[in-house]
Amino acid sequence: MALPQRVAAGEAGASRRPPPARLRVAVRLRPFMSAEDEKKEGPCVRAAGTQGLEIVNWRNTNETLHYQFDILHGDRSSQQEVYLSSVRPVLPFLLAGQNASVFAYGPTGAGKTHTMLGSAEQPGIIPRAVRELFQLVREQQALPQGSEWDCSIGMSYLEIYNEKVLDLLEPRDQDLPIREDRERNIVIPGLALRPLSSFSDFDRLFVPASLKRTTACTRLNQRSSRSHAVLLVKVVKSQNVAPFRQLTGKLYLVDLAGSEDNRRTGNAGLRLKESGAINRSLFTLSKVVDALGQGLARVPYRDSKLTRLLQDSLGGSAHSVMITNIAPEFKHYYDTLTALNFAAKSKSIVNTPFVQESLRAPEPLMKRPRDEQGAGGSAQPQKKRPKEGQRQSQDQGPSPQPAQSSTDPAVLERLKTLERLILGTPQGERRMVLEGMEQSRKDIQKLQERQSQQQTKSGPPSCPSSSSAGLFCADRRPLQKKQCAAAPRQVLQAVVPPVHVVPPLQKCAIICRPEPAHKKKRDKQAVSPDMKENACSLDWEAQLDSELLEKSRQKILRVLNTGSLKDLKSLQQIGDKKAKLILGWRAVNGPFTQIEDLQQLEGISAKRLSSFIKVNVLCMLGH
């Protein structure tokens, strides 16, 4: 059993929060496939420094279009240079419990598969990244605190072929579903996860699975990828000592299929169906990037299996790197221009990394064998005894305790940690208070029923039975002498059960100012319905202390300016979409100067803003 927590990166152990991580975009220019094309036409695109790139303007061939990216890998760059500058910096985040994603994008024949897989002589990003992970694990275990942690690595491998998620480690025709758990993590039930103890285990599993990926020959490429391939590497770090933390990081290594022009590739039949599915998923990917760049309320992740799987990588909680592969030939000009425009739009995507942390619960205590339980040590199930036998067994003393002692310091520490997690939160305390209040109401109701029964038995009541009367009436009249002579006076003794005293909630800062009755009547006659509605919306602020009201507004403004996605969602009337809009607006325009600046976001009107301020201010005063 584990109690999951989703903590912003750097929140545990440090007071500052790291800024949101922007999607890093790198461009890799493939060399010419043949020397004849290079001599005949020349390149349509060329490098302009280490980050800039120029391409011929199709409207005017005497002009060039300039693009700027995080890094540019020229046609002479090696696999090692691409890996060291673009991929290696994001790998240490996995051991800190965060997610990372690297995916190759570009038209067909631009070299995406070579960048991700490579060859035996020139390994690509995937084998280099997995080898680096094992090296990082060995380095951390060599540290003085490394003995307190155990690290395990596992891998899953899948492809998205014709909008079907297929497992490459355990091939079958079943289309696997894509789900989202309660922590908003993307999971695939039924996907095989194989443990890895060394790089040789990875090589033994990955090479046969890669050969099962769907490929085919087209006019532009002899071995064209007909599906999107996704390698998932899961890293789990478990602490051996208290508080028994567990950090989980995932690395997505994605080799996307390239967009295709069927007029140039000559696709027909099955190849035409495959290219249609590929182009639709890439078109949905472009719509997702446009929605994130424009800050729209709805991002169409669910319109495609590919975008649903990349939800963490695009606008999610991963440190993402996109490597855009392009070709220099003039025959690939329009595909290259489209890929560069897509890469330029992707630079505006902002992700919010989180630490996936959980605490392992203590293992249940071992029970004694059945033959050791009871006085007779019988292994047969005990039959139901009569009452005398039950009394006799109770007189013999308490039942034997389990064999394992609960005084183990490690077990006690884990139990205390669980108790703090469950009962130490404001929700847990509020639940306990509400349960105590409900029990008190039940006890008071039982007490009133007993009082009414006693009054019924003793005859007509001697004092009015109003709701304001107490348990005993103070002005009880004495009985007449005739009644005393006829029947002896009975002394009634009220049985009052103990009432559970519930600690009161914190005092609210609302100041009640009652108004005179004649003023209320005059206001009801003079105020119209519209004026009454506006007055009610402003009356709650007039009933609050001005100093406490200003403090509450400052708290809300502080959360809007410095809060993470989780902190923003903790505010009332702020969901996942509005929280992401706030983060995006904050990354572009800076912090909010006042709460009323929220009206600049899409979907937040003046009426909704007033309701948002009222609910959150009263909620903070109540806590």
Side-chain angles (χ1 to χ4, degrees):
M1 173 183 174
L3 299 176
Q5 294 178 344
R6 204 179 190 196
V7 186
E11 183 175 355
S15 58
R16 64 180 183 88
R17 295 177 184 272
R22 185 178 59 83
L23 174 67
R24 290 179 53 85
V25 179
V27 175
R28 186 178 190 185
L29 179 60
R30 173 178 63 77
F32 278 89
M33 299 298 294
S34 63
E36 297 179 359
D37 295 338
E38 184 177 3
K39 294 179 181 179
K40 184 185 300 182
E41 298 179 347
C44 66
V45 60
R46 63 182 180 181
T50 58
Q51 295 179 331
L53 185 140
E54 292 180 348
I55 186 172
V56 177
N57 187 0
W58 63 277
R59 292 186 177 90
N60 186 0
T61 56
N62 296 325
E63 297 179 355
T64 58
L65 302 176
H66 185 77
Y67 293 88
Q68 195 77 11
F69 300 101
D70 294 304
I71 190 169
L72 174 65
H73 304 289
D75 55 355
R76 297 182 181 275
S77 60
S78 62
Q79 300 276 64
Q80 179 74 2
E81 294 174 357
V82 175
Y83 168 75
L84 292 179
S85 58
S86 299
V87 181
R88 189 179 184 183
V90 302
L91 295 181
F93 292 109
L94 298 174
L95 300 182
Q98 303 177 45
N99 297 336
S101 176
V102 180
F103 57 98
Y105 177 86
T108 181
K112 299 182 298 299
T113 303
H114 176 73
T115 300
M116 298 301 294
L117 297 183
S119 59
E121 297 78 13
Q122 298 179 356
I125 290 175
I126 291 178
R128 292 176 186 271
V130 176
R131 192 185 295 274
E132 182 78 16
L133 274 179
F134 283 104
Q135 180 65 24
L136 292 175
V137 170
R138 287 192 294 268
E139 291 177 358
Q140 284 212 354
Q141 291 179 348
L143 296 176
Q145 298 84 5
S147 59
E148 300 179 359
W149 295 85
D150 289 336
C151 188
S152 61
I153 301 178
M155 65 167 288
S156 301
Y157 198 24
L158 61 93
E159 69 171 352
I160 302 177
Y161 175 72
N162 284 341
E163 284 300 305
K164 293 183 179 180
V165 180
L166 305 177
D167 195 344
L168 293 177
L169 293 179
E170 294 182 0
R172 51 184 182 271
D173 296 334
Q174 181 182 1
D175 181 16
L176 300 178
I178 301 178
R179 299 283 186 261
E180 187 175 6
D181 61 7
R182 60 182 181 180
E183 297 297 325
R184 308 190 73 84
N185 296 318
I186 301 300
V187 295
I188 303 177
L191 182 65
L193 179 64
R194 299 292 179 83
L196 303 176
S197 58
S198 62
F199 181 78
S200 59
D201 293 343
F202 167 78
D203 194 35
R204 176 176 52 85
L205 295 172
F206 181 75
V207 173
S210 299
L211 298 177
K212 298 173 185 176
R213 182 184 177 184
T214 306
T215 58
C217 179
T218 63
R219 290 181 183 178
L220 300 180
N221 196 351
Q222 293 182 355
R223 195 171 185 270
S224 176
S225 300
R226 316 308 298 167
S227 64
H228 308 293
V230 181
L231 174 66
L232 172 61
V233 182
K234 186 176 181 181
V235 182
V236 179
K237 283 182 59 179
S238 303
Q239 194 175 15
N240 299 326
V241 297
F244 304 97
R245 299 166 57 201
Q246 183 171 313
L247 304 176
T248 303
K250 296 180 182 179
L251 173 63
Y252 296 89
L253 299 171
V254 187
D255 180 15
L256 298 176
S259 58
E260 294 183 347
D261 186 355
N262 294 318
R263 295 171 297 181
R264 298 172 54 225
T265 57
N267 291 331
L270 181 59
R271 301 285 88 82
L272 184 63
K273 180 181 178 181
E274 294 170 349
S275 64
I278 293 172
N279 292 336
R280 281 194 301 271
S281 61
L282 294 177
F283 178 69
T284 306
L285 180 62
S286 178
K287 291 197 302 181
V288 168
V289 172
D290 291 338
L292 292 173
Q294 299 174 12
L296 300 181
R298 179 186 179 274
V299 182
Y301 289 116
R302 297 177 181 268
D303 293 357
S304 173
K305 296 289 185 66
L306 174 63
T307 53
R308 181 66 167 155
L309 192 60
L310 294 180
Q311 186 170 344
D312 284 341
S313 306
L314 302 173
S317 60
H319 297 268
S320 300
V321 178
M322 184 179 71
I323 302 177
T324 305
N325 293 263
I326 57 176
E329 292 88 356
F330 267 94
K331 61 182 179 181
H332 299 295
Y333 174 80
Y334 291 105
D335 294 334
T336 300
L337 182 63
T338 303
L340 291 177
N341 291 331
F342 177 81
K345 292 187 297 183
S346 302
K347 291 194 305 180
S348 61
I349 295 178
V350 178
N351 295 346
T352 306
F354 283 95
V355 175
Q356 301 292 336
E357 180 180 343
S358 60
L359 295 178
R360 293 177 296 163
E363 299 179 357
L365 300 178
M366 298 295 294
K367 294 183 179 181
R368 284 188 177 183
R370 190 182 295 271
D371 54 356
E372 297 181 6
Q373 296 180 358
S378 175
Q380 299 295 331
Q382 297 181 358
K383 298 181 180 179
K384 188 174 181 180
R385 298 179 181 179
K387 294 183 179 180
E388 296 180 359
Q390 291 180 358
R391 295 173 183 174
Q392 183 178 2
S393 63
Q394 292 176 0
D395 296 336
Q396 291 178 358
S399 59
Q401 299 294 331
Q404 183 176 353
S405 175
S406 61
T407 58
D408 188 3
V411 176
L412 291 176
E413 183 67 24
R414 295 165 80 176
L415 290 174
K416 291 178 181 179
T417 303
L418 281 176
E419 184 178 3
R420 288 195 299 269
L421 286 173
I422 297 175
L423 301 179
T425 59
Q427 293 82 0
E429 295 177 357
R430 183 177 178 85
R431 188 183 70 247
M432 294 176 61
V433 171
L434 293 177
E435 291 177 356
M437 294 176 64
E438 184 65 24
Q439 185 63 29
S440 300
R441 293 192 189 98
K442 293 181 180 179
D443 294 340
I444 293 173
Q445 185 177 4
K446 292 181 180 179
L447 184 60
Q448 292 176 352
E449 293 177 356
R450 291 187 181 182
Q451 180 185 358
S452 61
Q453 292 177 2
Q454 294 288 351
Q455 292 177 356
T456 304
K457 292 181 181 179
S458 60
S462 58
C463 61
S465 58
S466 62
S467 58
S468 61
L471 297 180
F472 301 99
C473 189
D475 54 349
R476 187 185 298 274
R477 298 179 180 179
L479 296 177
Q480 297 180 3
K481 293 183 179 181
K482 294 182 179 180
Q483 295 178 353
C484 295
R489 183 175 181 179
Q490 297 180 358
V491 179
L492 300 179
Q493 183 176 3
V495 179
V496 182
V499 179
H500 297 281
V501 179
V502 181
L505 295 174
Q506 297 180 359
K507 295 183 179 180
C508 185
I510 298 178
I511 303 174
C512 299
R513 297 186 177 91
E515 298 180 354
H518 65 277
K519 186 176 181 181
K520 292 183 180 179
K521 293 181 180 179
R522 183 179 59 193
D523 293 342
K524 289 182 180 180
Q525 295 175 359
V527 178
S528 63
D530 296 337
M531 296 176 60
K532 184 176 180 180
E533 182 179 358
N534 295 332
C536 292
S537 62
L538 299 176
D539 185 57
W540 68 274
E541 293 185 355
Q543 295 181 1
L544 297 179
D545 184 50
S546 59
E547 183 178 355
L548 294 178
L549 176 61
E550 183 62 25
K551 289 183 179 179
S552 301
R553 292 176 62 92
Q554 291 298 327
K555 288 182 181 179
I556 298 174
L557 185 61
R558 193 181 306 114
V559 174
L560 292 176
N561 288 331
T562 62
S564 62
L565 182 65
K566 181 180 179 181
D567 297 333
L568 292 174
K569 289 165 61 177
S570 65
L571 295 175
Q572 301 294 328
Q573 298 183 358
I574 295 296
D576 184 65
K577 294 181 180 179
K578 286 189 175 60
K580 290 182 178 179
L581 283 177
I582 294 173
L583 287 177
W585 192 93
R586 199 171 69 195
V588 176
N589 302 308
F592 295 91
T593 57
Q594 56 183 353
I595 303 179
E596 286 71 12
D597 291 344
L598 287 175
Q599 294 188 34
Q600 303 181 17
L601 299 180
E602 182 181 359
I604 299 183
S605 59
K607 184 176 181 182
R608 181 167 295 182
L609 176 64
S610 176
S611 176
F612 165 79
I613 297 175
K614 176 180 179 181
V615 172
N616 284 278
V617 167
L618 296 181
C619 183
M620 289 187 177
L621 293 177
H623 287 287

